[in-house]
């Protein structure tokens, strides 16, 4: 069974631009969560989607948004990029029920904002 | 969500057994204890989960005392490739809330 895939793997943007990251969960998984990881703040929860609905949300500004499609694939968007948005963005999927603590993470997208 | 406390970092040598302890004094009756491992520039990987006593799989063992206020992840005969950050999480198996990762324990294995 294929794992969680994220595209692109690396991205370089400039301040003020916007970016869209994509995540394909493991087949059959309906829950997708997004995390931002930086050296200073560690792994921080952004939001979780389950069956196309946002189920939980972290403490990030409205510039960070996401969505989930009917095939459970998910995208996150960051508008008006700031230097501090440079980070590794990780996506994780959970089982069909989507409530397990066992999450399966993708390799991440490394975003650099110049 | 139960708050967890782990050592920030640990060093050990190849071939040794490593034990990482996590404190979770306010663990709830229906909470489980879950450990993740993260290598640099990769996403975390689920290692093991338990509720009480001892759980063992091909990677690690998890020891949970009767009062469940702490737990210990045990890695047998570590190698250099076990150098990673280890996260302890506590919460209900059938969770309703988001998963929160703490700072974790940075384990450094020396040759």
């Amino acid at each position: 069974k294929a794992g969680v895939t994220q595209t692109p793997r690396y991205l370089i943007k400039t301040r003020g631009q916007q970016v869209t990251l994509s995540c394909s969960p493991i087949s059959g998984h309906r829950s997708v969560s997004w995390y931002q990881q930086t050296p200073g703040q560690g792994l921080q929860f952004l939001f979780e989607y389950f069956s196309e609905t946002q189920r939980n949300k972290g403490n990030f500004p409205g510039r960070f948004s996401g969505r989930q499609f009917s095939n459970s694939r998910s995208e996150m968007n960051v508008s008006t990029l700031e230097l501090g948005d440079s980070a590794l963005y990780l996506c994780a999927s959970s089982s069909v029920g989507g409530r397990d603590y066992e999450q399966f993470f993708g390799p991440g997208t490394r975003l650099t904002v110049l | 969500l139960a708050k967890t406390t782990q050592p920030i970092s640990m060093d050990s040598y190849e071939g040794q057994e490593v034990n990482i302890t996590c404190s979770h004094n306010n663990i709830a009756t229906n909470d489980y204890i879950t450990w993740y491992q993260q290598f640099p520039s990769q996403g975390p990987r689920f290692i093991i989960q338990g509720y009480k006593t001892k759980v063992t799989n091909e990677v690690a063992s998890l020891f949970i005392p009767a009062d469940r206020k702490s737990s210990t992840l045990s890695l047998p005969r570590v190698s250099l490739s076990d150098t990673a950050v280890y996260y302890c999480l506590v919460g209900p198996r059938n969770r309703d809330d988001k998963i929160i990762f703490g700072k974790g324990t940075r384990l450094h294995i020396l040759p």
Side-chain angles (χ1 to χ4, degrees), chain B residues 49-92:
Chain B
Q49 184 181 73
Y51 183 79
K52 62 180 179 180
T53 62
K54 177 183 173 183
V55 179
T56 297
N57 62 23
E58 65 279 3
V59 177
S61 294
L62 179 59
F63 298 92
I64 305 167
D67 66 6
R68 304 200 327 122
K69 292 184 182 301
S70 67
S71 58
T72 299
L73 176 73
S74 181
L75 304 173
R77 297 180 299 281
V78 293
S79 64
L80 296 176
S81 62
D82 291 315
T83 294
V85 178
Y86 293 83
Y87 298 94
C88 166
L89 289 77
V90 172

Side-chain angles (χ1 to χ4, degrees), chain A residues 60-78:
Chain A
F60 278 81
R63 299 185 298 108
F64 292 82
S65 63
R67 59 176 174 170
Q68 186 180 32
F69 302 95
S70 59
N71 62 357
S72 293
R73 190 177 71 84
S74 177
E75 289 181 346
M76 69 162 280
N77 184 277
V78 187

Side-chain angles (χ1 to χ4, degrees), chain B residues 9-20 75 77-80 82-83 106-111:
Chain B
S9 65
M10 293 179 64
D11 289 341
S12 187
Y13 292 92
E14 278 192 296
Q16 299 289 310
E17 177 185 79
V18 171
N19 295 311
I20 305 174
L75 304 173
R77 297 180 299 281
V78 293
S79 64
L80 296 176
D82 291 315
T83 294
R106 189 170 297 276
L107 176 64
H108 187 205
I109 304 301
L110 304 166

Side-chain angles (χ1 to χ4, degrees), chain B residues 10-49:
Chain B
M10 293 179 64
D11 289 341
S12 187
Y13 292 92
E14 278 192 296
Q16 299 289 310
E17 177 185 79
V18 171
N19 295 311
I20 305 174
T21 297
C22 178
S23 297
H24 27 80
N25 291 321
N26 60 339
I27 189 169
T29 304
N30 60 340
D31 283 347
Y32 282 73
I33 299 148
T34 308
W35 285 80
Y36 279 82
Q37 174 193 56
Q38 185 179 25
F39 298 114
S41 297
Q42 293 185 28
R45 179 177 75 114
F46 173 91
I47 301 177
I48 197 166
Q49 184 181 73

Side-chain angles (χ1 to χ4, degrees), chain A residues 31 35 37 40-43 45 48 55-57 88 90 94 98-103 105-107 110, chain B residues 1 34 36 38 41-44 46 49 87 89-101 103:
Chain A
S31 168
Y35 295 83
Q37 186 167 37
Q41 297 300 316
L43 199 59
F45 173 82
E48 178 191 7
R55 184 160 70 175
N56 287 299
K57 189 176 188 305
L88 179 67
L90 293 160
S94 301
R99 293 185 177 275
D100 290 350
Y101 264 76
E102 182 173 3
Q103 290 192 310
F105 283 79
R110 173 76 61 184
Chain B
L1 295 173
T34 308
Y36 279 82
Q38 185 179 25
S41 297
Q42 293 185 28
F46 173 91
Q49 184 181 73
Y87 298 94
L89 289 77
V90 172
R93 173 172 279 181
N94 189 24
R95 63 184 176 88
D96 291 322
D97 205 349
K98 49 189 176 285
I99 293 179
I100 301 296
F101 285 79
K103 297 294 186 184

